[in-house]
Amino acid sequence: MIKIKKRKILLLPGDGIGPEVMAEVKKIINWYNYKKFLDFETDEDLVGGCSYDKHGTPLTDEVFFKALESAVVMLGAVGGPKWDTVEFAKRPERALLKLRKELKLFANLRPAICFKQLVDASTLKPEIVSGLDIMIVRELTGGIYFGEPRGIKPIENGERRGTNTHTYTSSEIIRVARIAFDLAKKRSNKVTSCEKSNVMEAGQLWREEVQLLHEKEYKEVELNHMLADNCAMQLLRNPKQFDVIVTDNLFGDILSDQASMLTGSLGLLPSASLGAKNKEGEMRAMYEPIHGSAPDITGKGIANPIASILSFAMALKYSFNHDKEAENLEKAVQAVLEDGFRTKDIMSKGMKEVSTSQMGDAIISKLK
Ligand code: IPM
Ligand code: MG
């Protein structure tokens, strides 16, 4: 067993705009170390396409072991068109999936919050999205992303068959549902569980296990079951009906992208991927913005660092139990938006357009 170093943060900026947004996170971590003596120990390394270019693999064993002994991995983004033709097993995305799977980060928390300062940035009408505060809990280490058998194989008639397997065990469903119920208790006390139990047995099991857990341990929380396609529709029709949504790996991937656009920009949304707590109460976790590597704007200094900075706020809260500091950082972000500072992705008339690093500096200037 590799022991987790409690204050260790491994920074993996990755590809595309990853290094640009991570630079702002580094400034914030330094601020906390010097001003609040929080004593974080950081290390930095390669992941994704840049690691492939240098080492021939998107995740070296050395980096993987560094991740294993870190309490927190801060990830930027991986991938880009440069690596589109790389063989499947060595694609930048495989690094991300290996980290999730091998660090056993089964619960992926993806908040979708619509800041009041940015109501107009959403493509939906203000009255539909203002005040929106949803938490999507996505199962992250199971389902069709990892199920066996998988692969592409020739078949007798000369065609090829591509196979992936959607599979869940009871315990995989129960542990992630428990996270969702516990979160709901601290929020608006409502969980919506999404699957396709009308067509998939794994979905039927999902519904049954969530229902049983609810009856056994969480009767005080309101629970609704919803088919995933209906959930996609309801997210656009009336998103404020949701509090916590719990769903599998694939539906969670899709529904969280959809939910993110309710808030105006993918550049705003953080995420946390959490593992189980060990006997000492320690837990591995990885934090990353929802957005990808955005090759189209890489190197221009215009990427929005807010998603990454808010990911660090989630780390402060979920990994380091610095709830007050997390709130402080979130408030600093809101104050900067209130002052009218905007990166290009959320720019609107009358506001001040700023670069990635100016946005980071402005947020730091609001920290107390
Ligand atoms: C996400 C991404 C990843 C996923 C990709 C990059 C492998 O879309 O984190 O949502 O599909 O999980
Ligand atoms: Mg996705």
Side-chain angles (χ1 to χ4, degrees):
M1 271 310 266
I2 298 210
K3 236 188 114 30
I4 304 174
K5 293 187 179 166
K6 279 192 190 129
R7 307 294 293 177
K8 187 168 169 194
I9 302 175
L10 176 63
L11 305 168
L12 299 177
D15 307 318
I17 58 169
E20 294 168 51
V21 292
M22 194 64 84
E24 304 314 305
V25 174
K26 278 192 248 175
K27 286 186 198 164
I28 306 260
I29 295 175
N30 285 339
W31 187 91
Y32 276 107
N33 273 349
Y34 290 112
K35 293 281 174 158
K36 297 267 170 158
F37 310 106
L38 287 192
D39 204 23
F40 295 121
E41 181 198 334
T42 57
D43 191 358
E44 185 173 336
D45 222 310
L46 300 178
V47 73
C50 57
S51 170
Y52 175 81
D53 288 346
K54 184 150 185 226
H55 303 293
T57 168
L59 184 72
T60 63
D61 289 345
E62 194 193 337
V63 174
F64 177 63
F65 284 115
K66 280 185 187 179
L68 269 179
E69 63 167 28
S70 303
V72 161
V73 176
M74 294 297 307
L75 195 119
V78 294
K82 186 177 173 198
W83 302 282
D84 274 355
T85 50
V86 172
E87 65 176 292
F88 193 77
K90 298 203 164 154
R91 301 272 305 240
E93 292 79 9
R94 300 317 297 172
L96 188 57
L97 296 174
K98 177 168 179 190
L99 284 168
R100 288 173 179 173
K101 184 74 177 173
E102 302 292 328
L103 299 180
K104 302 189 170 64
L105 310 175
F106 65 89
N108 184 210
L109 278 45
R110 300 191 159 190
I113 295 168
C114 184
F115 294 119
K116 66 174 190 301
Q117 299 85 356
L118 295 176
V119 166
D120 294 319
S122 175
T123 47
L124 270 78
K125 294 193 192 98
E127 64 267 29
I128 303 286
V129 292
S130 82
L132 183 79
D133 182 356
I134 300 177
M135 177 68 90
I136 297 190
V137 180
R138 168 188 178 193
E139 200 290 326
L140 203 61
T141 53
I144 201 157
Y145 271 58
F146 297 100
E148 298 281 348
R150 64 184 298 159
I152 302 176
K153 284 206 179 106
I155 51 176
E156 277 147 27
N157 66 0
E159 285 192 77
R160 295 183 300 160
R161 187 197 305 282
T163 305
N164 290 92
T165 304
H166 179 59
T167 161
Y168 273 106
T169 60
S170 300
S171 60
E172 285 176 318
I173 299 166
I174 292 166
R175 67 183 179 179
V176 73
R178 189 168 270 132
I179 301 272
F181 284 125
D182 286 337
L183 280 169
K185 282 209 234 168
K186 295 185 202 149
R187 298 169 44 97
S188 303
N189 213 35
K190 191 173 165 189
V191 170
T192 307
S193 170
C194 296
E195 26 58 17
K196 284 285 287 176
S197 56
N198 53 345
V199 287
M200 292 152 82
E201 283 82 355
Q204 197 182 325
L205 182 73
W206 184 283
R207 183 175 285 223
E208 286 169 16
E209 294 296 357
V210 173
Q211 181 64 33
L212 280 172
L213 179 68
H214 179 250
E215 279 159 24
K216 266 195 253 160
E217 294 178 36
Y218 294 98
K219 271 219 174 86
E220 71 282 17
V221 181
E222 185 186 339
L223 170 67
N224 295 295
H225 300 280
M226 195 179 270
L227 297 176
D229 53 345
N230 184 24
C231 180
M233 186 271 278
Q234 296 292 343
L235 270 172
L236 294 181
R237 194 185 72 90
N238 176 19
K240 281 188 262 180
Q241 70 184 284
F242 297 107
D243 177 26
V244 176
I245 295 175
V246 62
T247 189
D248 74 26
N249 205 342
L250 182 61
F251 294 142
D253 180 42
I254 297 165
L255 293 173
S256 63
D257 262 30
Q258 189 180 333
S260 74
M261 272 323 284
L262 302 172
T263 70
S265 170
L266 245 98
L268 297 168
L269 296 184
S271 80
S273 305
L274 312 178
K277 288 206 166 84
N278 66 16
K279 280 193 205 104
E280 284 82 45
E282 302 159 343
M283 159 187 98
R284 292 198 173 84
M286 180 157 75
Y287 298 85
E288 57 182 304
I290 296 228
H291 63 70
S293 57
D296 51 323
I297 60 163
T298 297
K300 296 189 177 156
I302 58 172
N304 189 344
I306 290 181
S308 282
I309 289 172
L310 290 177
S311 296
F312 183 65
M314 290 187 91
L316 285 170
K317 180 171 175 178
Y318 292 104
S319 285
F320 299 116
N321 297 320
H322 293 310
D323 289 34
K324 271 234 171 76
E325 299 302 345
E327 209 177 293
N328 195 20
L329 183 51
E330 284 163 8
K331 282 202 179 125
V333 169
Q334 293 214 36
V336 165
L337 294 173
E338 194 67 49
D339 285 354
F341 289 91
R342 301 282 187 273
T343 42
K344 201 179 178 81
D345 55 312
I346 49 174
M347 183 59 192
S348 61
K349 228 172 109 197
M351 300 293 143
K352 293 170 227 145
E353 192 170 324
V354 294
S355 67
T356 310
S357 72
Q358 286 169 328
M359 182 57 101
D361 292 343
I363 292 169
I364 287 175
S365 77
K366 297 283 180 188
L367 285 170
K368 284 179 213 98

